[in-house]
Amino acid sequence: MDGTGMMEKKKIGYSPDLERGMYFDKRTYQDNALEDFETLREKLPQPVLPGKAEWTACYDYAVAVLFSNRHVPTPQSGFVSNFVDAAFNEDIFLWDTCFMTLFCNLFHPHIPGIRSLDNFYCKQFEDGEIPREIVRDTGKDFLLWVNTSDMPLYSYFHSHYGHRRLREMEALPYESLYKPQMGRTIENNPYLTLDNLNHPILAFADWESYCHTGDVDRLEHVLEPLSRYYSAMKYHLRHVSGLYVTDWASMDNSPRNLRMGLALDTSSEMALFARNLLDIMRVLERERGLHPGERAGELEGDFRELVDRINADMWDEETGFYHDLTFDGECVKVKTIAAFWTLLAGIAGGDRAERLFGWLKDTGTFNRRHRVPVLAADEPGYDPEGGYWKGSVWAPTNAMVVLGLERCGEDDLAKEIALNHIDMVAKVFMRTGTIWENYPADSVSSGNADHRDFVGWSGIGPIMFLLRYGIGLHPDLKTDRLVWTLDEEMLRTGSVGCRNYWFKGKTADLTADLKDERLSIRVSALQAFDLEVRFRDSVRVYHVDKSLEVEW
């Protein structure tokens, strides 16, 4: 493989017996026994928020369902770690699992969250490809997503959308399948189909995990497989324009798919991928003395090129929005949540970012009763009952929006959207007794969703959002502090805090109360750490050494 990520020409036809996982140094199963949930319960984070009993009830339920979705791999699967299941069907899914790690980090090391990704790294092909979907019990590839005929890149799903019927469908002639117009010669055919090569957010998941756990060892283990995966995506999915392709599997039945050729989300995710890899390399250079060499230059160049290309070609000044393109470069003027990947990836800035913030506040499009629908409410085909990707609210895309807003310094808007999501998920939980795969944006209901107990990535709201925005806790990488942002309105309904809050190998109990307009804080921990408290317009920093009691 040369410095541009291109592979030497060779025959790479698929075979189920190919050697895989050669870049990941964990080759055989190794993990701790899964502890009983009831035994673990007292060790897990326990939010203190008596004024929001619906939220904490939903949290408790989400955690119980999550722990029921833990698995020890079967011997025949070839998986190397215990894992949490995506809760969709009998398979494990890459981008579902990546988003699940965002809240599983809070339970590390008691739940195999980030370790679940080991079972994708160990299935990596020699050219760097990693499958999006793998059969859970056997460890085999989902066959429809495999390029068994050794043909140029194609998608099964795009022309033969099956939704819940995929397992009943059979292989079809290559002539009837969707083939993206790449505009360049790609000499080596992929092992996998385009259905299986989308949402390249593995590095995002491992970087976010590091930010919470501080686990440098893991970064060292995943750098090489991530670098190879990046090169494979660049080689197989990069259009001659420098932008990237995807298929319907990115947003199943979204109206964008009828004309889209060049994908705004995948292109932005590849920019994010490059940036995350650079972040990982900088940590390893500082902590382990590992020099990135030519890789860093390639990634920096790729990132700058994608930022320039997306801003030049995918921004539409008339609509004030980023859009997908046809293969001819025509703007596909459908407003979808894909545009907000540009915030997280560091692509949108200045006036363009401000206009995106405005769309998130606009009640006619994305600021609905339950925020944020994946399709703007004023678009043809928008389904007020959700309609899957025709207007539903999805936890992973909400996480992307909220974290993107944070990156842009829009903390208040991020919190507003996150708290709205928690509140709506909790209200529907109280009415239906479960957590759903997706939600309608215009009502307090499950709409036409059909997947219950979806924890699964829907745990993002009742777990991650609750602790990060309801309680207000998150570790800050730059300052190496635990940041606690206290909400005055929450405090007026009772105590706010968390017992057994875990971060970077430390565990702390934190409680705050507001009495007679004075803020009282109590903290206890076995390990010392610095705590940054934000309340009203003040910021104070304390060193916690076993215990802390202060009043403002």
Side-chain angles (χ1 to χ4, degrees):
M1 189 173 299
D2 63 28
T4 64
M6 299 296 288
M7 290 168 283
E8 297 176 2
K9 184 177 180 180
K10 56 184 178 294
K11 178 68 175 175
I12 62 167
Y14 175 85
S15 165
D17 299 320
L18 284 169
E19 180 188 2
R20 297 168 72 164
M22 61 285 294
Y23 308 117
F24 190 53
D25 55 13
K26 190 174 183 181
R27 304 294 178 85
T28 58
Y29 172 75
Q30 183 181 358
D31 213 327
N32 299 321
L34 294 177
E35 297 180 74
D36 178 71
F37 175 59
E38 292 303 322
T39 303
L40 279 176
R41 187 189 292 268
E42 292 303 314
K43 300 178 183 179
L44 302 176
Q46 299 173 32
V48 177
L49 202 62
K52 294 289 184 180
E54 289 182 351
W55 295 10
T56 54
C58 190
Y59 170 89
D60 290 340
Y61 186 81
V63 173
V65 174
L66 171 66
F67 273 76
S68 72
N69 281 336
R70 295 174 299 163
H71 292 268
V72 176
T74 62
Q76 66 268 26
S77 69
F79 294 149
V80 296
S81 294
N82 298 335
F83 60 95
V84 290
D85 183 52
F88 182 76
N89 60 18
E90 297 87 354
D91 297 349
I92 61 171
F93 292 83
L94 182 56
W95 84 300
D96 299 56
T97 307
C98 285
F99 277 111
M100 288 177 69
T101 65
L102 295 178
F103 59 86
C104 288
N105 292 330
L106 292 155
F107 304 119
H108 184 84
H110 298 304
I111 196 164
I114 197 65
R115 297 197 306 281
S116 300
L117 296 179
D118 297 352
N119 298 325
F120 293 93
Y121 289 126
C122 78
K123 296 294 183 178
Q124 186 171 29
F125 291 94
E126 52 83 26
D127 76 334
E129 291 175 69
I130 296 177
R132 178 181 69 94
E133 182 175 356
I134 304 172
V135 180
R136 185 177 67 200
D137 290 339
T138 66
K140 295 181 179 180
D141 299 296
F142 180 59
L143 201 55
L144 288 182
W145 295 170
V146 174
N147 185 6
T148 53
S149 301
D150 191 20
M151 300 297 285
L153 185 68
Y154 67 89
S155 163
Y156 183 107
F157 204 52
H158 196 100
S159 298
H160 302 280
Y161 179 63
H163 191 42
R164 304 287 195 228
R165 297 180 291 105
L166 274 171
R167 291 186 171 275
E168 304 166 14
M169 301 175 78
E170 298 179 351
L172 293 168
Y174 180 72
E175 292 71 29
S176 72
L177 303 174
Y178 170 78
K179 306 161 194 70
Q181 303 168 27
M182 303 304 293
R184 64 183 181 91
T185 300
I186 302 174
E187 295 181 333
N188 295 327
N189 296 332
Y191 289 112
L192 305 170
T193 71
L194 184 55
D195 317 85
N196 223 359
L197 295 170
N198 57 44
H199 289 300
I201 58 170
L202 256 174
F204 164 70
D206 259 302
W207 176 251
E208 289 295 318
S209 178
Y210 166 73
C211 291
H212 194 90
T213 67
D215 187 350
V216 180
D217 287 342
R218 180 167 180 89
L219 292 187
E220 193 168 0
H221 292 320
V222 301
L223 175 59
E224 187 62 22
L226 282 173
S227 299
R228 299 280 182 161
Y229 180 47
Y230 178 88
S231 294
M233 298 298 275
K234 180 179 176 181
Y235 181 79
H236 290 297
L237 303 190
R238 189 171 182 263
H239 184 259
V240 67
S241 66
L243 299 170
Y244 284 79
V245 303
T246 191
D247 77 332
W248 282 31
S250 282
M251 286 192 191
D252 286 38
N253 61 339
S254 172
R256 72 189 285 229
N257 297 327
L258 299 177
R259 297 183 61 227
M260 175 195 63
L262 305 177
L264 177 56
D265 47 3
T266 312
S267 299
S268 299
E269 288 160 4
M270 284 299 291
L272 177 64
F273 197 163
R275 203 187 79 201
N276 289 146
L277 278 176
L278 287 166
D279 288 337
I280 290 170
M281 289 175 180
R282 292 185 188 104
V283 171
L284 292 176
E285 184 173 21
R286 182 182 70 241
E287 300 293 333
R288 298 291 161 85
L290 299 179
H291 299 289
E294 294 181 0
R295 279 180 175 175
E298 176 193 347
L299 292 165
E300 288 167 355
D302 288 352
F303 177 76
R304 288 193 299 270
E305 180 183 353
L306 273 169
V307 170
D308 291 344
R309 192 83 279 130
I310 291 169
N311 277 317
D313 296 345
M314 296 183 132
W315 174 260
D316 182 73
E317 188 63 29
E318 181 182 357
T319 59
F321 207 74
Y322 289 95
H323 299 277
D324 303 308
L325 301 176
T326 67
F327 285 116
D328 295 328
E330 181 184 351
C331 181
V332 179
K333 293 190 178 182
V334 179
K335 296 188 295 297
T336 75
I337 206 159
F340 301 106
W341 279 103
T342 62
L343 299 177
L344 185 60
I347 293 164
D351 179 65
R352 293 181 180 185
E354 290 292 335
R355 294 178 79 174
L356 291 182
F357 305 155
W359 285 113
L360 290 170
K361 299 173 186 176
D362 177 31
T363 56
T365 54
F366 293 103
N367 181 9
R368 309 300 287 179
R369 187 171 185 180
H370 189 170
R371 303 159 81 166
V372 178
V374 293
L375 179 69
D378 64 345
E379 290 288 350
Y382 172 80
D383 185 345
E385 288 296 296
Y388 220 52
W389 290 92
K390 292 183 177 180
S392 291
V393 176
W394 292 77
T397 49
N398 268 7
M400 173 270 291
V401 169
V402 165
L403 293 176
L405 288 169
E406 271 195 14
R407 186 196 174 279
C408 296
E410 289 293 312
D411 294 348
D412 290 343
L413 182 55
K415 179 179 176 181
E416 184 180 317
I417 291 171
L419 294 185
N420 168 267
H421 183 67
I422 298 170
D423 194 51
M424 295 295 285
V425 170
K427 281 182 166 60
V428 176
F429 165 72
M430 298 303 289
R431 295 182 183 186
T432 65
T434 192
I435 294 169
W436 298 86
E437 181 184 10
N438 47 69
Y439 294 83
D442 293 342
S443 62
V444 185
S445 74
S446 58
N448 48 31
D450 61 356
H451 257 55
R452 302 166 61 91
D453 288 343
F454 205 85
V455 189
W457 58 23
S458 290
I460 286 171
I463 298 174
M464 174 191 165
F465 283 2
L466 176 62
L467 292 176
R468 190 177 182 110
Y469 302 103
I471 307 300
L473 290 166
H474 79 275
D476 183 81
L477 183 66
K478 292 181 180 178
T479 63
D480 197 27
R481 299 170 182 164
L482 178 63
V483 175
W484 194 5
T485 305
L486 287 162
D487 185 294
E488 186 170 356
E489 182 179 342
M490 296 284 187
L491 284 163
R492 293 195 181 282
T493 66
S495 300
V496 174
C498 185
R499 292 186 291 274
N500 301 325
Y501 183 82
W502 187 92
F503 64 102
K504 295 189 175 181
K506 303 174 176 66
T507 304
D509 295 341
L510 308 98
T511 311
D513 291 280
L514 187 64
K515 296 179 181 178
D516 300 325
E517 298 305 309
R518 292 185 64 83
L519 178 67
S520 172
I521 294 173
R522 297 178 304 283
V523 183
S524 62
L526 296 177
Q527 306 89 358
F529 66 94
D530 291 330
L531 175 68
E532 179 180 312
V533 180
R534 302 174 183 176
F535 180 60
R536 293 175 176 155
D537 295 324
S538 298
V539 177
R540 299 187 186 182
V541 179
Y542 303 97
H543 181 70
V544 179
D545 189 357
K546 294 187 178 179
S547 64
L548 172 74
E549 290 192 25
V550 294
E551 284 194 356
W552 287 22

